[in-house]
């Protein structure tokens, strides 16, 4: 099964993708994570992308489609969760063509609906484990033991450079301008399923599971 998680910054795409990896054995493909890894590994592309990301703008279609193309070369039995990709109509067309080349298709698109006020508080409280990437929140999902990652026991945590008020404003603008047209695009293809992303993490997972079980 190939699944797209669509939603604005902070909607909970990464959180739900990790739950689906555990519950359904799907492989998570997050273009945001791939771009941050490229920066950490010191590549020229990574540095250029980081400047764009810190401003809250979208990285070029060419770069992100190239990253996804590489990942699709290694097949994954159960399928993929596309987290934060596609983000433009051009990326959506490219994904369709890439999957088609591998004899596959998009099976469902989950649109996670969350209002802007909730997004601001989610983004400003987010922190992740520097070792395993587990995602936490100061108020809604703190670590069980303060300062220790529940998943790997790591004690170092990071906050993203683009999780600030100015960058978030730009990220939201980019979402509404360039990514939200994908709602109509996938609706027209009969693939769109909306879920209320405002509920608690477990409630959102249950709603997504209900959609997937009906496919
Ligand atoms: P990316 O890393 O994809 O960021 P994003 O889309 O802005 O999404 P986030 O990771 O901020 O949020 P999320 O929806 O995953 O929420 P999360 O689960 O963490 O992209 C970053 C940048 O990279 C882009 O701005 C762009 O520059 C570039 N980029 C990436 N892909 C690109 C592409 N395809 N094309 C071009 N450029 C691209 O949750 C957020 C917080 O809320 C967490 O603290 C979590 O614990 C908490 N939370 C989650 N769910 C709930 C809940 N139900 N209730 C309460 N709290 C919750």
């Amino acid at each position: 099964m190939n699944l797209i998680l669509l939603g604005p910054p902070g909607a909970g795409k990464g959180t739900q993708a990790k739950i689906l990896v555990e519950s359904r054995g799907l492989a998570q493909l997050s273009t945001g994570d791939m771009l941050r890894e490229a920066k950490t590994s010191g590549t020229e592309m990574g540095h250029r992308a980081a400047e764009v990301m810190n401003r809250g703008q979208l990285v070029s279609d060419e770069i992100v489609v190239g990253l996804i193309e590489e990942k699709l070369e290694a097949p994954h039995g159960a399928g993929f969760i596309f987290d934060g990709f596609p983000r433009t109509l051009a990326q959506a067309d490219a994904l369709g063509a890439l999957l088609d080349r591998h004899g596959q298709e998009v099976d469902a698109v989950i649109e996670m609906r969350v209002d802007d006020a909730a997004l601001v508080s989610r983004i400003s409280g987010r922190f992740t484990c520097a070792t395993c990437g587990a995602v936490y929140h100061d108020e809604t999902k703190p670590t069980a033991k303060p300062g220790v990652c529940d998943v790997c026991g790591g004690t170092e945590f990071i906050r993203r450079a683009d999780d600030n008020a100015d960058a978030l404003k730009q990220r939201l603008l980019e979402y509404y301008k360039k990514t939200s047209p994908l709602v109509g695009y996938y609706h027209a293809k009969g693939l769109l399923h909306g879920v209320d992303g405002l509920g608690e993490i477990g409630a959102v997972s249950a709603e997504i599971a209900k959609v997937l079980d009906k496919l």
Side-chain angles (χ1 to χ4, degrees):
M1 174 191 296
N2 293 307
L3 179 67
I4 294 173
L5 295 181
L6 183 65
K13 303 180 295 293
T15 300
Q16 295 299 330
K18 286 186 170 54
I19 293 171
L20 288 163
V21 166
E22 289 301 316
S23 61
R24 311 244 163 191
L26 300 168
Q28 178 186 9
L29 293 183
S30 157
T31 39
D33 287 348
M34 291 175 210
L35 291 164
R36 282 183 286 278
E37 274 160 28
K39 187 205 164 198
T40 309
S41 54
T43 64
E44 170 63 22
M45 180 277 274
H47 280 297
R48 272 189 290 125
E51 282 172 27
V52 177
M53 291 163 81
N54 290 349
R55 288 198 299 269
Q57 291 169 342
L58 292 189
V59 173
S60 74
D61 290 338
E62 197 191 346
I63 288 179
V64 291
V65 170
L67 290 170
I68 289 289
E69 186 171 11
E70 235 173 74
K71 296 286 177 185
L72 292 184
E73 289 305 324
H76 189 273
F80 294 102
I81 308 161
F82 297 93
D83 161 13
F85 179 91
R87 262 173 148 102
T88 63
L89 291 167
Q91 291 178 23
D93 282 339
L95 176 62
L98 284 174
L99 287 173
D100 189 49
R101 205 196 290 166
H102 292 273
Q104 293 188 45
E105 58 188 7
V106 174
D107 296 291
V109 178
I110 305 286
E111 183 203 359
M112 303 182 61
R113 299 177 183 147
V114 179
D115 64 47
D116 290 358
L119 298 175
V120 175
S121 95
R122 285 191 188 179
I123 292 285
S124 51
R126 171 170 52 191
F127 62 100
T128 56
C129 173
T131 313
C132 73
V135 184
Y136 296 97
H137 189 277
D138 292 325
E139 281 145 34
T140 59
K141 195 175 183 284
T143 54
K145 194 171 160 200
V148 182
C149 176
D150 299 352
V151 179
C152 73
T155 53
E156 238 186 89
F157 295 89
I158 41 177
R159 289 185 191 257
R160 275 170 43 179
D162 58 344
D163 279 354
N164 61 72
D166 281 348
L168 178 59
K169 214 163 140 193
Q170 185 61 39
R171 284 159 67 193
L172 280 172
L173 196 67
E174 293 280 87
Y175 180 78
Y176 291 118
K177 216 162 72 179
K178 299 177 183 164
T179 309
S180 66
L182 296 183
V183 171
Y185 176 96
Y186 285 117
H187 170 73
K189 287 178 177 280
L191 295 172
L192 192 76
H193 305 268
V195 302
D196 177 8
L198 268 177
E200 286 181 3
I201 293 171
V204 179
S205 307
E207 226 189 300
I208 294 174
K210 227 192 269 174
V211 170
L212 300 186
D213 289 343
K214 279 194 205 143
L215 290 178

